[in-house]
Amino acid sequence: MDIVLELTDTFLADYAYAYLFPARPAPYDFPQTAAANASAEAFSNWVYTPATKFLQFQPSRAAYMTSLPRDDPYRQVVTLFFITWIFGIIVYFIFATLSYYLIFDKRTLHHPKFIKNQIWLEIKQANKSMPFMAVCTAPLFLLEVRGYGNLYDTTDEGPGLWYNFLQFPLFLLFTDFCIYWIHRYLHHPLVYKHLHKPHHKWIMPTPYASHAFHPLDGFAQSIPYHLFPFIFPLQKLAYVVLFVFVNFWSILIHDGEYLTNNPVINGAACHSLHHSRFEVNYGQFFTAFDRLGGTYRMPEAWMFEKEKKMSEKQWKKESETVDSFVKEIEGHDERTYDLHLTSKKTK
């Protein structure tokens, strides 16, 4: 994350901190020379060290004109908070909106289990949660930035060229294993009603439901991503790529487009069953840990037949099935469905 932090400092944060926390005058009289008038660099102890050898941006004069230099931990944690929050919102809205307009089948909006004002409610829940999730996440990013993790830059600093390739499947397997158990624990009755229930409000999720969590729920399921570089080596640029990917993947498994019934990948079809059957398919990327844990439910053939999947007959059948699971898991269905759209569709 130090790469993203450096980019943010270079183009935004340096100017903000120079304005809000200007450098204090030197505690002695300095000769009025051209060098003294040129900049405040002579009074700064901070020295620019690139976060990576692959991307380097020479700091502007503003980087030396603040009493909070880039390596100040308080500045870093505040900046990381805003990066996590704002960057998360940008990724969420860009990818979710693209998915909604290019992939998501709009006929889903007429499903009997589609909630009234659901898209607005999904966006509202996501945006309420993101700043609180950022508060929890920023300290972990700070530890990584300050060198407490196993992040490396060049191949010479890492285990070797072979690991540059191995780190990707290793990251996915490790995080999938951890998320499986965290997600499964979130379905414990004493935990579910307080933390995970808001995400299960969406029986027929849209891409905007991908980040519509209770903040502690969302943070809990993100912990493995931050834990990985403290246990295993991870290349810095790969970390940024994987951070974007996991957010993108979360949107993909909520887009309602069931491309293939892959026995290995936990795709949108598998995850849709988690939303409608609740206590199955806890995995994030793969089906392996659900299979080992006895919680795997294979998507049915009709789910890959688009017209049958969107037929009123299948909707009615599914609604009855969902009602039975809602009664078993939650007792009372507190959702308000958009009956106006449903009745309009059936006329």
Side-chain angles (χ1 to χ4, degrees):
M1 193 52 66
D2 55 352
I3 296 174
V4 178
L5 181 61
E6 182 178 319
L7 286 169
T8 304
D9 281 333
T10 302
F11 296 105
L12 291 172
D14 284 341
Y15 300 97
Y17 284 106
Y19 176 78
L20 295 172
F21 304 96
R24 291 183 290 271
Y28 52 84
D29 293 330
F30 198 87
Q32 296 299 313
T33 63
N37 295 327
S39 72
E41 292 184 30
F43 309 130
S44 176
N45 293 322
W46 174 73
V47 178
Y48 171 61
T49 303
T52 174
K53 294 180 180 178
F54 300 105
L55 292 171
Q56 296 185 29
F57 300 90
Q58 195 63 32
S60 68
R61 184 169 176 242
Y64 304 93
M65 307 268 307
T66 176
S67 59
L68 287 176
R70 287 189 185 182
D71 57 357
D72 183 275
Y74 296 104
R75 166 177 166 165
Q76 286 178 330
V77 76
V78 170
T79 308
L80 287 166
F81 161 74
F82 282 106
I83 289 173
T84 309
W85 181 16
I86 304 302
F87 184 71
I89 288 176
I90 291 172
V91 170
Y92 168 69
F93 274 109
I94 289 177
F95 288 131
T97 300
L98 286 173
S99 178
Y100 178 77
Y101 283 104
L102 300 179
I103 300 174
F104 182 71
D105 194 325
K106 308 303 183 295
R107 290 178 292 180
T108 306
L109 303 177
H110 302 285
H111 195 284
K113 292 302 176 183
F114 198 81
I115 298 173
K116 187 176 182 179
N117 299 321
Q118 178 170 315
I119 294 176
W120 164 246
L121 291 172
E122 289 171 341
I123 293 173
K124 183 179 177 181
Q125 178 66 51
N127 280 272
K128 282 172 58 180
S129 297
M130 283 187 183
F132 293 98
M133 291 170 63
V135 167
C136 298
T137 304
L140 295 175
F141 280 148
L142 179 66
L143 292 175
E144 296 162 6
V145 165
R146 298 192 72 82
Y148 290 98
N150 295 311
L151 293 169
Y152 67 93
D153 189 28
T154 63
T155 301
D156 293 339
E157 298 172 2
L161 181 62
W162 60 273
Y163 190 80
N164 287 346
F165 299 95
L166 179 65
Q167 64 186 329
F168 292 101
L170 181 61
F171 176 90
L172 296 178
L173 285 169
F174 173 82
T175 56
D176 198 52
F177 172 78
C178 295
I179 290 172
Y180 172 82
W181 288 108
I182 291 170
H183 194 176
R184 189 166 177 175
Y185 175 74
L186 286 166
H187 276 262
H188 187 283
L190 296 178
V191 179
Y192 175 83
K193 63 181 180 180
H194 297 295
L195 296 184
H196 198 49
K197 188 176 179 180
H199 187 62
H200 273 274
K201 186 175 185 177
W202 332 113
I203 301 295
M204 299 298 298
T206 77
Y208 294 106
S210 58
H211 292 68
F213 290 95
H214 183 288
L216 291 180
D217 178 5
F219 174 67
Q221 295 195 60
S222 73
I223 287 176
Y225 305 137
H226 306 293
L227 187 62
F228 183 89
F230 289 101
I231 300 175
F232 303 97
L234 184 61
Q235 203 277 332
K236 291 181 178 182
L237 288 172
Y239 186 34
V240 176
V241 170
L242 287 167
F243 181 74
V244 175
F245 170 76
V246 296
N247 283 276
F248 179 60
W249 182 262
S250 183
I251 292 169
L252 283 180
I253 61 176
H254 290 90
D255 66 13
E257 186 66 18
Y258 311 153
L259 295 176
T260 179
N261 191 6
N262 190 295
V264 176
I265 304 300
N266 177 54
C270 283
H271 195 69
S272 72
L273 288 174
H274 179 73
H275 277 265
S276 63
R277 305 298 190 270
F278 294 83
E279 296 181 344
V280 298
N281 300 351
Y282 294 109
Q284 183 78 350
F285 304 113
F286 307 111
T287 63
F289 300 114
D290 277 296
R291 291 175 184 276
L292 291 171
T295 54
Y296 176 66
R297 186 183 181 103
M298 182 183 296
E300 298 177 37
W302 63 265
M303 298 176 70
F304 302 94
E305 301 173 24
K306 184 163 287 191
E307 294 308 314
K308 185 173 183 180
K309 170 188 164 188
M310 290 295 171
S311 69
E312 294 174 15
K313 181 180 178 181
Q314 190 63 47
W315 284 359
K316 183 179 179 180
K317 182 180 178 182
E318 272 298 288
S319 295
E320 292 172 354
T321 302
V322 168
D323 287 339
S324 65
F325 279 99
V326 169
K327 184 177 181 180
E328 177 185 347
I329 304 300
E330 298 181 353
H332 174 66
D333 193 349
E334 300 172 354
R335 301 166 185 81
T336 301
Y337 299 105
D338 202 336
L339 300 179
H340 171 70
L341 284 177
T342 304
S343 60
K344 187 177 180 180
K345 169 72 177 177
T346 55
K347 286 181 180 180

